């Protein structure tokens, strides 16, 4: 400790600039991700951007010529678009779950992944939100779904599940963005303090002049707490509402009370899988092992195992109720789902979602990263097919056997499906280079505490 | 007015120092920390953050707006669909719920900005990038003759260095 | 055909308006400026109706042509016409398209050196033809369909005046065998008229009387009347159908007797013998026939007919028991080499049963000189052509190149004719080979008359100015005659055909006749004629068939395409066959056994080979056809025509489907009539596969009770649970025994009405016991509501747009899983249990489609309609997902742009929106008609009367199966009809959608049983 200075002659004379010691390691490591893009990165970005371009082209073509270019055939009027919509909405659930619910449960291990998960949420919603529009017969009239004052004094039908969707999805998008941004502000301040050039300008604006005073931190904590409190019921409501698009109809295979919890579990399931699918390579490429440890992945694997069990149970329940109801159209719908013309999709769904994740009973599997990665990918595939089976499979075998139908996606639909993945990846790639991929301040919170305990409370 | 900045490594001592300083009647304190720490939350101000009122008001506005809009619109041009009543409360509850969350969340954000005095254009003279690394900064503004005392007190409580900066 | 532009459109409107103004009185007047002078009779927005006569088949139904702003937009039945009484069949409904058809010739054309058709002026063309006729002289022959009496008379006068060889009448489906048989048995060469309205047993010997002949609309109506259970519960008529396959007619029968094709005569005599043994017939009749019937004991005939003796005896006894039994002679598809004898046998059966003079009326033979259709003469003409005796061939209203077998050598013979003139108004195979084309008007543009039967004289009048540069056939002939010089001209009358027609009708009040559509006398008395001495000398035996194939090739007649003339009308292609539900294509019906032996499934292409030729056609396995028969429908396989040929796939010269006529021998019966059933076929699997455009996925309703049936016994007991008599208790129990209980109709409940003060709540009652699935309603709906026709490719994608479809259900169905076959194995000889369910928007009181629409594009009107607002629809298609009946359609493309090519767009109903791209559409209960009726009612300060407004489907229905009206009016017919305690039910009532449509269950009458 430096010796006390002599009584000052003049305080002003003693003023000197504060010395700036070396930066903290967390800052350096994590901000390093945002450094110069590699060739691989640029190539990948180019690929996804061009895919998005192609999909955009096909969409314009579809809008001009008519939805006939998609594979729709009476009576199967919902297809790949709605399937993909539900898929991405599901993906969007992991972020909020990790940020909000685990926050409320004070599960500290979330800190390493919540930032990227929240980012995925935002991007997934941004992807999902497009599909209800893409599937419209007259997309140029999409704004008619909003209750805006108009000359015809004609309002919307709030009894329609689709209207619930409009409100749920837009609310969810807004809240996840707010959540994402609020969490981001302190880290943006960190970036601001270290950036130069245009980044300096950008981060200075985005950081809102954050300084990390205790008053700010206090407000920040409170905000995060409240947002978590709001987002938790929201995240549950969103996929419930989406599930009611189906459950509140009378279609055999849709009209089931179990749908809301079943879909929410499925959403968390697929969301976690997607986080793993994305973060395992990211961690590898940017060497973030110090922050995102195997312990994190193991915990997420546990979650996947849990939700997989729930989903599997839901499948079983569906079939049981269909059989026990004794209602012939229900029974037939489910029988043909498993053994009819859509049996492949059905068995992909069951094996990917209910069987394969069972390996996570074993710690070896949970901690063996390649296994975790493969399973997570399988789960993503399985969950897409789950929605395909539910939507297309049910619509193709309804009450009137005279018009049982058959649906196969057209190249247009597949292009736009591919485009959706590219669209999502595009945002995520940009995010990697623009924002701290890990919530630095939360990491520090842990680190500083640990240090305190390390030098055994020197005070 | 002189401004001293004590630099700390740990939140614990900072809290302790603050308590002492306030005990000695120093009121113009400011505290920068690289991350949120519960032990620091109430060091300067015990009162809970006012953000919660924003949330409450936002949420209440949402739920009222939700029901009001749906019901009014149903009767503004009443149409029968599916043999259901013009205004069906169960489905409208979903709309009301979503609006509750939406306005509640947005209000909370505004609350954060208002309470945290954000956005602000100019940084405090006492602020340093070190505080966005991993060090804590305790800023004390005091009379010239108290400088030595404060300085001593800070050092006594494990401030690894004390700087005198532009006030 | 180019899109029609505004200017052209205005011209046509103006012109046709002028015509319509003039239609009643004088020659069309030239008016090319629309409505500068308002034509009398025309008020924009108000339809004007003109009476006329349908020319689609010889039945001669009366028409009311609905015109708007001078354009015909729909054909409706003439209620005062004795034959169709206001109904009109599918073909009649579709006939509107002929006038606006893109295939029409714009004007006279001649073939130049290069062999291309080039336009030519009428004067030039007439002069050319005049010269040709002069040169050819007696080498001039006319081959035509059967013209109206007046036209026929003048055509003959003209032929003699110009010294032509003569004319031959070619009607492929003409019942020559029956005519010959009648003259052989009763000494009168005329076709007997059958009246089914007062019968209690109809023995149908493969006559296909509900599909093509002799008068389907009339017979449909009469059968329905005779079977009406409400009127005569106990003694409702039974229909027993004999035939090789479960045709549409047989599907409506109570029993199907699966007999060898061509053995109908034998069977008829055997039944007669059984009836005789059971004591049927007057003493004279018994005595007259006893000798003949000696040789036709059921046991002996059983082998040859493939029908076991017990059944024959059973039928015989039933016939003997019946009060008024009638037997219908064999129809086109089973007319074999012994067709005359078969027909005679059936007539003798009628004679024994005492039907002649009561249900069977034999009109006096037509006046001498009136030429009747004759296949023999046709073949003779072909021979003359081959031997180059024909120098000039005039072809009018006939398409011999398509409808004559290749084996007849007509194509080759046509090459030998130096100059061929066609008077076709639209392109067909024959006119495409002509050297000179002088297009005739279409019936809607023409004057003419028809005498479909004794006591019925019917008129045709133009309802629109000719849309193209065409000229009436007879007028063309007269002009040619006049152009041939004064001595010929002297033999010809002055003026036009219209004047000749008026002269011919001088004995009537012309204006009244014109307004009423003709002159209709009551049924003339037809005495029971004695048998001719030779009547019982019949050569009845098994049919003689060419070829050594294993299967009998059965040319199946289609009620839609008729003899092929329907193939270029898009609606008749789009609407699926009533039995197989296949549209736009050809198929080969084979039994499951045959399919098993050949190792083929639905869509596997078969090679069908006869001595006359070979064709390849996809297989359609089903239970309802004999193992020794392969059935291929007549009507497809055209190589000319936008819709008839394969133009849809860019191959306008390639055939669509196959033309089975090409593989038939040019065989004749004993009397020279045409023998359609004349060949055996070898059938092999080609290994190729073709997707068959089956519109109805499955005819197995899986006990979901979309189409219900109750047994007679249940009906008598007044309760659907009653154990049904005559062995069908099980079937009846199945109907309601699967856990559900039969729910009596919930009558309309005012307390639950969302609009209690609205005077109307529109509803419908559909009687499945009357519906014969003739498709009249479907085509009527297409035309009335501007429903787009989508073509084969999109039909294969299940993208049909029909608002109303007919579903064919075989029995209650079973719970078998996803079977590939549209029709399961359930079709079998014996009691027939097929239900035909017209499926359309049920306008549910608690409609599942409404609450799910986010933008309120579909909602419930105060009058109980399930409204659909196209303008508001954004196309989420959720409504369709949630509709359990699946009656909502989605417009995948901008059909308004592509589906009414050329002038076809002129026949769009101006009262109905043409739906844009990307919106849902569905049945509206013809809301435009309701609006019109309300308008009138409001002007007269009253509410709409019952029966004042009806939907297009109900209006067209020959059997009155559909009743439309106001459910709030207790006395309305629809309410009366709906309140049947046993038969009324709601489709899928367990979903509690509270439909506005009440179905009345079909009545299962079962087979006749031996009395104890």
């Amino acid at each position: 400790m430096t010796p006390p200075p002599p009584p000052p002659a003049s305080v002003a004379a003693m003023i000197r600039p504060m010395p700036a010691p070396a930066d903290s390691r967390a800052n350096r490591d994590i901000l390093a991700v945002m450094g110069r893009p590699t060739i691989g990165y640029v190539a990948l970005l180019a690929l996804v951007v061009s895919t998005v371009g192609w999909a955009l082209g096909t969409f314009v073509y579809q809008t001009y010529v008519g939805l006939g270019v998609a594979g729709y055939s009476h009576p199967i009027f919902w297809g790949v678009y709605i399937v993909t919509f539900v898929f991405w909405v599901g993906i969007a659930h992991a972020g909020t779950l990790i940020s909000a619910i685990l926050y409320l449960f004070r599960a500290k291990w979330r800190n390493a992944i919540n930032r990227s998960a929240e980012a995925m949420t935002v991007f997934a919603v941004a992807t999902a939100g497009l599909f209800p529009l893409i599937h419209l017969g007259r997309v140029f009239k999409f704004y008619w779904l909003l209750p805006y004052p108009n000359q015809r004094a004609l309002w919307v039908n709030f009894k329609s599940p689709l209207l619930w969707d409009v409100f749920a999805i837009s609310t969810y998008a807004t809240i996840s963005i707010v959540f994402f941004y609020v969490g981001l502000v302190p880290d943006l301040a960190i970036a601001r303090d270290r950036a130069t050039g245009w980044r300096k300008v950008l981060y200075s604006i985005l950081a809102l002049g954050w300084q990390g005073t205790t008053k700010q931190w206090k407000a920040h904590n409170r905000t995060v707490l409240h947002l978590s409190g709001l987002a938790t019921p929201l995240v549950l409501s969103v996929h419930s509402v989406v599930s009611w698009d189906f459950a509140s109809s009378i279609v055999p295979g849709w009209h089931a009370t179990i749908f809301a919890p079943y879909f929410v579990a499925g959403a968390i399931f697929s969301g976690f899988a997607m986080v793993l699918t994305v973060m395992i390579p990211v961690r590898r490429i940017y060497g973030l092992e110090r922050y995102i440890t195997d312990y994190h992945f193991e915990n997420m694997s546990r979650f996947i195992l849990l939700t997989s069990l729930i989903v599997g149970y839901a499948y079983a329940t569906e079939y049981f109720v269909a059989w026990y109801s004794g209602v012939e159209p229900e029974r037939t719908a489910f029988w043909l789902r498993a053994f009819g013309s859509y049996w492949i999709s059905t068995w992909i769904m069951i094996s990917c979602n209910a069987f394969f994740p069972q390996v996570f009973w074993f710690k070896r599997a949970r901690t063996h990263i390649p296994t975790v990665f493969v399973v997570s990918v399988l789960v993503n595939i399985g969950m897409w097919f789950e929605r395909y089976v539910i939507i297309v499979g049910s619509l193709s075998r309804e009450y009137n056997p005279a018009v049982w139908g058959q649906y196969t996606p057209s190249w247009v639909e597949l292009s736009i499906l591919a485009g959706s993945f590219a669209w999502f990846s595009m945002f995520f790639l940009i995010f990697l280079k623009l924002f701290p991929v890990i919530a630095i301040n939360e990491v520090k919170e842990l680190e500083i505490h640990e240090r305190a305990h390390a030098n055994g409370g020197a005070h | 007015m002189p401004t001293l900045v004590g630099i700390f490594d740990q939140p614990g001592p900072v809290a302790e120092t603050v308590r002492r300083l306030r005990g000695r009647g120093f009121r113009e304190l400011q505290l920068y920390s690289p991350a949120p720490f519960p032990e620091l939350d109430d060091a300067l101000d015990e009162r809970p953050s006012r953000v919660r009122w924003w949330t409450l008001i936002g949420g209440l506005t949402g739920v009222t707006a939700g029901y009001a809009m749906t019901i009014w619109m149903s009767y503004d041009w009443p149409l029968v669909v599916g043999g259901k009543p013009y205004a069906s409360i169960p489905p409208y509850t979903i709309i009301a719920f979503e609006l509750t969350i939406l306005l509640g969340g947005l209000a909370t954000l505004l609350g954060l900005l208002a309470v945290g005095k954000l956005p602000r254009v100019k940084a405090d003279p006492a602020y340093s990038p070190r505080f966005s690394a991993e060090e804590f900064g305790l800023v004390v503004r005091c009379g010239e003759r108290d400088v030595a005392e404060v300085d001593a007190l800070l050092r006594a409580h494990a401030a690894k260095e004390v700087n005198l900066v532009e006030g | 055909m180019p899109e029609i532009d505004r200017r052209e459109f205005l011209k046509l409107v103006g012109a046709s308006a002028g015509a319509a103004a003039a239609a009643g009185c004088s020659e069309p007047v030239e008016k090319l400026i629309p409505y500068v002078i308002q034509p009398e009779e025309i008020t924009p927005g108000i339809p004007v109706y003109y009476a006329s006569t349908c020319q689609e088949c010889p039945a001669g139904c009366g028409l009311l042509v609905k015109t708007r702003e001078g354009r015909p937009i729909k054909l409706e039945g003439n209620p005062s016409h004795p034959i169709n009484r206001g109904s009109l069949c599918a073909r009649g409904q579709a006939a509107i398209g002929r006038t606006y058809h893109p295939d029409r010739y714009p004007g006279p054309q001649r073939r130049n050196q290069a062999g291309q058709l080039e336009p030519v002026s009428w004067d030039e063309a007439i002069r050319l033809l005049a010269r040709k006729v002069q040169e050819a002289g007696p080498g001039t022959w006319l081959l035509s369909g059967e013209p109206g009496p007046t036209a026929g008379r003048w055509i003959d006068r003209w032929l003699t005046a110009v010294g032509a060889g003569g004319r031959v009448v070619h009607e492929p489906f003409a019942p020559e065998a029956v005519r010959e048989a009648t003259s052989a048995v009763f000494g009168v060469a005329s076709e007997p008229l059958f009246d089914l309205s007062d019968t209690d047993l109809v023995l149908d010997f493969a006559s296909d009387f509900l599909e093509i002949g002799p008068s389907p609309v009339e017979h449909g109506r009469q059968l329905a009347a005779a079977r009406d259970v409400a009127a005569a519960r106990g003694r409702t008529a039974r229909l027993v159908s004999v035939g090789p396959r479960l045709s549409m007619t047989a599907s409506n029968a109570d029993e199907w007797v699966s007999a060898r094709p061509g053995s109908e005569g034998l069977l008829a005599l055997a039944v007669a013998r059984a009836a005789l043994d059971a004591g049927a017939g007057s003493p004279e009749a018994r005595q007259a026939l006893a000798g003949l019937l000696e040789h036709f004991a059921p046991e002996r005939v059983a082998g040859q007919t493939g029908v076991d003796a017990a059944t024959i005896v059973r039928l015989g006894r039933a016939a003997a028991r019946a009060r008024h039994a009638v037997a219908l002679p064999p129809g086109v598809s089973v007319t074999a080499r012994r067709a005359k004898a078969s027909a005679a046998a059936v007539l003798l059966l009628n004679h024994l049963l005492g039907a002649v003079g009561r249900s069977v009326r034999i009109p006096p033979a037509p006046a001498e000189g009136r030429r009747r259709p004759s296949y023999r003469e046709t073949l003779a003409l072909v021979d003359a052509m081959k031997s180059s005796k024909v120098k000039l061939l005039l072809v009018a209203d006939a398409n011999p190149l398509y409808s004559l077998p290749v084996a007849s050598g007509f194509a080759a013979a046509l090459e030998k004719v130096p100059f061929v003139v066609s008077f076709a108004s639209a392109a067909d195979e024959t006119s495409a080979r002509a050297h000179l084309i002088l297009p005739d008007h279409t019936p809607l543009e023409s004057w003419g008359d028809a005498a479909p039967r004794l006591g019925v004289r019917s008129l045709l009048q133009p309802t629109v100015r000719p849309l193209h540069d065409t000229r009436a056939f007879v007028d063309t002939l007269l002009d040619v005659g006049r152009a041939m010089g004064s001595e010929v001209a002297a033999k010809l009358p002055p003026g036009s055909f219209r004047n000749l027609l008026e002269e011919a009708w001088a004995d009537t009040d012309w204006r009244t006749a014109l307004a009423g559509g003709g002159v209709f006398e009551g049924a003339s008395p037809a005495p029971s004629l004695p048998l001719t001495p030779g009547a019982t000398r019949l050569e009845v035996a098994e049919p003689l068939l060419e070829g050594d194939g294993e299967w009998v090739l059965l040319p199946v007649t289609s009620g839609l395409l008729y003899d092929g003339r329907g193939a270029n009308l898009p609606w008749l292609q789009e609407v699926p066959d009533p039995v197989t539900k296949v549209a736009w294509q050809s198929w080969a019906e084979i039994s499951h056994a045959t399919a098993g032996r050949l190792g083929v499934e639905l869509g596997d292409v078969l090679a069908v080979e006869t001595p006359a030729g070979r064709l390849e056609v996809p297989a359609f396995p089903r239970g309802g056809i004999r193992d020794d028969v392969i059935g291929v429908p007549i009507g497809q396989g055209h190589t000319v025509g936008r819709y008839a040929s394969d133009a849809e796939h860019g191959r306008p010269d390639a055939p669509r489907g196959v033309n089975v006529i090409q593989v038939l021998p040019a065989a004749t019966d004993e009397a020279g009539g045409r023998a359609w059933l004349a060949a055996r076929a070898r059938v092999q699997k080609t290994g190729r596969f073709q997707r068959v455009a089956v519109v109805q996925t499955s005819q197995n309703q899986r006990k979901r009770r979309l189409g219900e049936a109750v047994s007679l016994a249940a009906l008598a007991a007044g309760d659907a649970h009653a154990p049904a008599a005559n062995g069908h208790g099980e079937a009846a129990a199945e109907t309601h025994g699967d856990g559900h209980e039969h729910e009596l109709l919930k009558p309309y409940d005012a307390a639950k009405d969302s609009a209690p003060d609205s005077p109307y709540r529109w509803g419908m009652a559909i009687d499945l016991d009357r519906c014969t699935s003739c498709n009249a309603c479907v085509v009527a709906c297409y035309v009335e509501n501007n429903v787009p026709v989508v073509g084969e490719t999109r039909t294969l994608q299940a993208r049909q747009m029909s608002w109303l479809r007919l579903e064919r259900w075989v029995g209650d169905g079973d719970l078998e899983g996803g079977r590939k076959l549209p029709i399961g194995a359930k079709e079998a000889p014996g009691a027939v249990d097929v239900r035909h369910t017209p499926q359309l928007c049920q306008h549910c009181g608690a409609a599942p489609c409404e609450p799910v629409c986010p933008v309120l594009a579909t909602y419930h009107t105060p009058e109980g309609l399930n409204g659909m607002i196209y303008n508001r629809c954004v196309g989420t298609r959720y409504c369709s997902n949630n509709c359990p009946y699946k009656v909502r359609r989605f417009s995948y493309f901008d059909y308004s742009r592509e589906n009414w090519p050329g002038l076809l767009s002129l026949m769009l109903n101006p009262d109905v929106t043409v739906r844009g791209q990307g919106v849902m559409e569905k049945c509206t209960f013809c809301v435009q008609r309701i609006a019109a009726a309300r308008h009138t009612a409001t002007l007269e300060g009253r509410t709409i009367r019952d029966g004042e407004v009806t939907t297009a489907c109900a209006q067209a229905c020959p059997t009155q199966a559909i009743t439309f009206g106001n459910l709030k009016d207790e006395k309305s017919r629809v309410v009366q009809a709906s309140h049947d305690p046993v038969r009324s039910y709601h489709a899928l009532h367990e979903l509690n959608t509270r439909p506005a449509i009440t179905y009345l269950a079909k009545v299962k009458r079962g087979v006749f049983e031996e009395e104890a």
Side-chain angles (χ1 to χ4, degrees), chain A residues 70 138 160 245 328 398 402 404, chain C residues 697 704 799 852 871 873 878:
Chain A
R138 303 203 294 169
S160 166
D245 288 350
E328 188 273 327
E398 274 200 63
W404 279 0
Chain C
T697 316
R704 292 179 183 185
R799 288 181 174 184
V852 299
N871 312 21
C873 179
Y878 200 169

Side-chain angles (χ1 to χ4, degrees), chain A residues 63 66-68 70 72-75 77-78 135 137-138 144 157 160 245 249-251 328 398-400 402 404, chain C residues 697 702 704 797-799 807 851-854 871-878 880-882 886 888 892-893 917:
Chain A
T63 311
L67 265 192
Y72 296 116
S73 89
H74 186 75
F77 281 155
W78 285 1
H135 108 118
R138 303 203 294 169
W144 285 0
N157 176 11
S160 166
D245 288 350
S249 81
I250 62 172
V251 178
E328 188 273 327
E398 274 200 63
Y399 290 101
N400 188 342
W404 279 0
Chain C
T697 316
R702 311 182 63 85
R704 292 179 183 185
Q797 292 169 293
R799 288 181 174 184
E807 289 169 357
V852 299
C853 176
N871 312 21
R872 177 65 172 173
C873 179
V874 297
T876 69
R877 305 184 293 292
Y878 200 169
S880 173
N881 291 352
N882 218 29
K886 289 285 168 270
R888 288 178 157 265
Y892 306 84
F893 300 98
Q917 169 185 318

Side-chain angles (χ1 to χ4, degrees), chain C residues 798-999:
Chain C
R799 288 181 174 184
Q800 287 221 334
M801 297 299 290
S802 61
W803 286 2
L804 162 60
R805 63 171 180 265
L806 282 164
E807 289 169 357
R808 181 178 189 266
W809 301 116
V810 181
D812 293 318
D814 52 43
L815 301 189
E816 281 176 27
R819 280 197 59 159
K820 277 241 177 70
L821 297 171
I823 311 180
K826 290 286 174 287
E827 291 178 325
V832 178
D833 184 9
V834 174
R835 303 112 191 231
H836 300 112
T837 320
Q839 191 64 266
L840 62 159
C841 176
Q842 306 281 315
H843 293 269
C844 309
C849 57
E850 289 167 359
V852 299
C853 176
V855 294
L856 291 165
T858 182
Y859 75 108
H860 224 64
T861 73
E863 300 189 355
L865 297 182
N866 171 244
M868 178 72 221
I869 301 95
Y870 312 121
N871 312 21
R872 177 65 172 173
C873 179
V874 297
T876 69
R877 305 184 293 292
Y878 200 169
C879 51
S880 173
N881 291 352
N882 218 29
C883 170
Y885 308 97
K886 289 285 168 270
V887 290
R888 288 178 157 265
R889 302 293 189 177
F890 177 68
S891 47
Y892 306 84
F893 300 98
D894 186 350
Y895 293 117
S896 62
R897 208 181 292 151
E898 52 186 51
N899 281 56
W900 289 274
L903 298 187
L904 272 179
S905 53
L906 288 183
M907 62 168 282
L908 289 172
N909 182 349
D911 293 333
V912 178
T913 317
V914 175
R915 280 73 62 185
Q917 169 185 318
V919 302
M920 300 300 303
E921 56 182 78
K922 63 162 193 71
C923 159
T924 63
F925 268 176
C926 288
V927 67
Q928 67 279 7
R929 291 175 171 226
I930 298 175
R934 189 187 299 108
H935 183 65
T936 328
T938 319
L939 290 181
E940 297 170 9
R942 55 173 176 85
T943 57
I944 303 175
R945 297 193 199 90
D946 185 36
E948 189 176 351
V949 54
T950 189
T951 59
C953 49
Q955 182 186 35
C957 183
T959 61
Q960 298 304 306
I962 306 176
T963 317
F964 178 78
N966 179 6
L967 294 178
K968 283 192 178 181
D969 170 4
E970 275 308 314
K971 296 178 297 304
S972 65
R973 279 162 54 246
V974 65
V975 173
Q976 301 312 321
S978 308
H979 284 191
D980 185 311
V982 181
R983 294 167 60 215
S984 66
Y985 73 99
H986 285 160
L988 300 175
H989 66 80
E990 64 272 22
L991 297 176
N992 193 30
T993 53
R994 304 213 292 279
I997 295 182
T998 305
Y999 288 100

Side-chain angles (χ1 to χ4, degrees), chain C residues 202-213:
Chain C
V202 180
L203 294 168
D204 153 41
F205 288 91
S207 68
D208 290 336
F209 71 101
L210 288 176
E211 284 143 287
I212 47 166

Side-chain angles (χ1 to χ4, degrees), chain B residues 26-81:
Chain B
F26 294 98
R27 285 281 171 275
E28 296 194 38
L29 306 174
Q30 179 64 291
L31 183 50
Y32 301 100
S33 83
F37 289 96
E39 47 268 70
L40 298 182
D41 276 358
D42 298 339
L44 292 177
D45 176 7
E46 295 76 5
R47 285 169 299 137
S49 171
R50 292 193 313 283
V51 170
R52 44 200 195 134
W53 296 110
W54 291 78
T55 315
L56 178 66
I57 291 159
L60 291 176
T61 322
V63 69
T64 348
Y67 280 116
M69 175 181 71
T70 47
I71 295 171
W72 175 72
M73 285 179 180
S74 305
Y75 282 101
D76 183 41
W77 184 350
L79 292 173
V80 179
V81 293

Side-chain angles (χ1 to χ4, degrees), chain A residues 1-2 4-5 8 11-12 14-21 23-25 27 147 152-159 163-164 167-168 170-171 174-175 178 181-182 185 189-190 192-194 207-223 226-227 230-231 233-234 237-238 241 244 441 444-445 447-449 451-452 455 459, chain B residues 2 5 7 9-11 13 30-37 39-42 44-47 49 51-52 55 69-70 72-73 76-77 81 84-86 88 91-92 94-95 97-99 101-102 104-106 108-109 112-113 115-120 123-124 126-130 132-136 144 147 151 155 158 161 163-166:
Chain A
M1 211 178 283
T2 50
V11 173
M14 295 160 58
I15 294 179
R16 68 189 94 80
M18 225 184 282
D23 196 0
S24 75
R25 173 161 182 197
N27 288 357
R152 297 184 235 86
L154 189 51
W155 302 112
V156 292
N157 176 11
F158 291 106
K159 300 183 184 86
L163 239 287
W164 311 343
F167 279 77
S170 50
T171 301
T174 320
I175 295 301
V178 168
Y181 181 60
V182 166
V185 166
I190 296 174
R192 172 199 61 203
D193 294 345
R194 285 152 189 76
L208 303 171
W210 175 272
Q211 302 187 136
T213 66
T214 36
K215 196 172 180 58
Q216 289 175 334
W217 278 123
K218 203 167 169 180
H220 191 266
N221 279 346
R222 175 60 70 165
T223 309
H226 285 198
L227 286 179
L230 291 170
L234 175 62
S237 83
V238 169
V241 166
W244 292 334
N441 60 74
K444 283 185 195 155
E445 188 178 355
E447 284 191 340
I448 293 169
H449 265 150
R451 222 179 311 131
N455 43 36
H459 307 270
Chain B
V5 185
I7 309 290
D9 276 337
Q10 291 296 324
Q30 179 64 291
L31 183 50
Y32 301 100
S33 83
F37 289 96
E39 47 268 70
L40 298 182
D41 276 358
D42 298 339
L44 292 177
D45 176 7
E46 295 76 5
R47 285 169 299 137
S49 171
V51 170
R52 44 200 195 134
T55 315
M69 175 181 71
T70 47
W72 175 72
M73 285 179 180
D76 183 41
W77 184 350
V81 293
K84 296 176 174 6
Y86 293 127
S88 323
Y92 295 178
I94 296 167
I95 307 291
F97 170 82
E98 298 297 341
L99 285 183
I101 305 290
L102 181 64
L106 292 176
T108 313
L109 176 63
L112 170 65
L113 300 183
V115 176
K117 304 249 177 345
L118 299 171
R120 57 185 298 149
D124 299 345
Y127 177 78
S128 156
R130 301 171 69 170
S132 63
E134 48 195 350
E135 291 167 308
F136 297 77
E144 296 215 352
V147 170
D151 179 85
R155 294 175 188 282
E161 65 187 71
N163 300 296
L164 189 61
V165 298
E166 204 47 73

